[in-house]
Amino acid sequence: MPRQSAAVHYAVEILSAPAHLFRVTLNVVPQTAEPLALSLPVWIPGSYMVREFAKNIVEISATQGGRSLSLRKQDKQRWLTARPKAGEALRVEYTVYAWDLSVRCAHLDQTHAFFNGTQMFLQVEGQEDLPHFVDLRRPRGAGFAAWKVATTLPTARGARGAARRGEFGLYRAPDYDTLVDHPVEMGTYQSVSFKAGGVPHEMAVTGRVRFDAKRLADDLSRICQWQIDFFGGEAPFPRYLFMTMAVGDGYGGLEHRDSTALLCSRNDLPAKDTAMGDAYRGFLGLCSHEYFHSWNVKRIQPAAFRPYRLDEENYTRLLWVFEGFTSYYDDIALVRSGVIAPTDYLTLLAKTIAMVERGAGRKKQTVAESSFDTWIKYYRQDENSPNAIVSYYTKGSLIAAGLDLTIRSETRGRRSLDDVMRHLWNDYALAGRGVGEDEMPAIIEAATGVDVRRQLALWVDSSLDVPLDALLKPFGVSLARRTGLLSSGLGVKTRAEGGGLKLTHVLDGGAAQLAGLSAGDELVALDGLRVTGNNLDVLLTRYQAGDDVALTAFRRDELMSFNLKLMAPRVESCELRLEDKVPAATRRLREGWLAG
Ligand SMILES: [Zn+2]
């Protein structure tokens, strides 16, 4: 019998910061003389799109006992070694190109390094369940002397060369799946620390930004504490890390079991002594969203994700639960933890309602279909997307609101969607069970005693709107819709470009589509007057719905003419208002909803 290999070892070095190259060395002991298959994931959990990470491996070679061992590409993401000697360490060296400034991939230059394991660590097929060690090596040179390491990957305590927390050295994961769920930031980030649920929390902020660290820690600790209490009072992780990259203009977040990678705009972080603005509120909402995922999707999971299969699409019809409910609770956490006022919360909810109602695609695709097809539709949007798809985030969050309000009304405030989440936590996550594709109606009934099969059939499996006007009434909240400027009646989305106005989307059934305009057309003139990047609304103030106008536009380099009949402006925004004089029962119901 060949000697059993104890573990899979990786070393990560910065080969060249200016060339954005990591060098990774993999040491593994083949257990048999069969060729070893090494592969890289094609997607990263939380971002449902095949991204072909193997394309960033630039050079790769293998040796055993000092002799070169040939590697043959077997498919787009997989290499096969020649027959190795069983029981003798095999070494694979490869370089990884890292210049994608997003939360999903890897990014490296002289200012910092960030990577997700899905981008960096070749999976040794057949050895996924062994312990995996990673040696993060400090780059040489004065420019790197102050660099630290932020990651929730556990240090290899007790092993030779073990890292101390926050430093370079050896880290350890119990298996491959865990290894790639702990991204790593290296650099000279600013650090914000606080405790929630008795557990250390940290935010590592990379980028040129000055912000009020104390205020951020105060607000985040309230939000985190509220979520921990919501799920029973015990944090599901030994520590938690927000890894934040602040840039001029950016937005993104990706959840992991003990951490999250965030991309934000510099101005999203709070300045000292300023009122809570939309930007900072939005950033707290993003933090709250990714943090809620520590429970909802990282631990409460669709059965289809247990385990994740990283070499192909993993289909589920349930992202309206895992993204939609998370999108509902991210803002609910802000109001119930007291970080924002109830009226601010209603403004956020009203925005989501308007956003959903503006999309014509919601009539053609259900949120269950949108979940299933996210790999080719939600994550691969194009000029026709508003006409063809519905967002399982925004409509999913309205479904969560609709269910929460329904359950609260029917049980006079004794039960709510909160009970459903806690049921999922206790009876599924903690019990090691995934949520079956058709289980949600039974789960909601088991948790609350309320049968919502009829509602789910209408809102999830067909494309009806959630009737929030009616559902909010018992809570003393009224909904009003406001129409936009006359230009919204054209049925287009536009972008100023090169001094002109380009159509990015032409909406179904709108005046522009009826007249034959297309996405990509560049408007030239309206009734003989030049259209610029910002004067369409001004030109249209002299018209009314029903008027005829002549538009000229370039399609590619061809000038074309169109005759439009202006339509009434469409619904652009919603407003939710707390009614003043309401009966005590209504007030109790409302407080139970917004104050928790
Ligand atoms: Zn999410």
Side-chain angles (χ1 to χ4, degrees), residues 138 146-150 166-168 185-191:
R138 178 183 290 283
W147 278 32
K148 306 170 285 178
V149 175
E167 297 194 3
F168 289 88
E185 169 75 22
M186 303 184 268
T188 54
Y189 50 84
Q190 303 175 63
S191 193

Side-chain angles (χ1 to χ4, degrees), residues 46 48 253-255 289-290 293 296-297 322-324 326-327 393:
Y48 304 101
L254 190 60
E255 67 275 12
H289 180 95
E290 305 306 343
H293 272 316
N296 196 33
V297 92
F322 292 94
E323 288 300 348
T326 300
S327 297
Y393 285 86

Side-chain angles (χ1 to χ4, degrees), residues 14 16-22 98-101 106-114 139 143-144 147 185-187 206 208 245:
I14 291 175
S16 167
H20 318 301
L21 288 174
F22 287 105
W99 193 236
D100 180 315
L101 187 56
H107 190 252
L108 162 65
D109 65 10
Q110 55 274 40
T111 67
H112 90 125
F114 169 79
F144 301 105
W147 278 32
E185 169 75 22
M186 303 184 268
T206 299
R208 297 182 186 177
M245 174 96 186

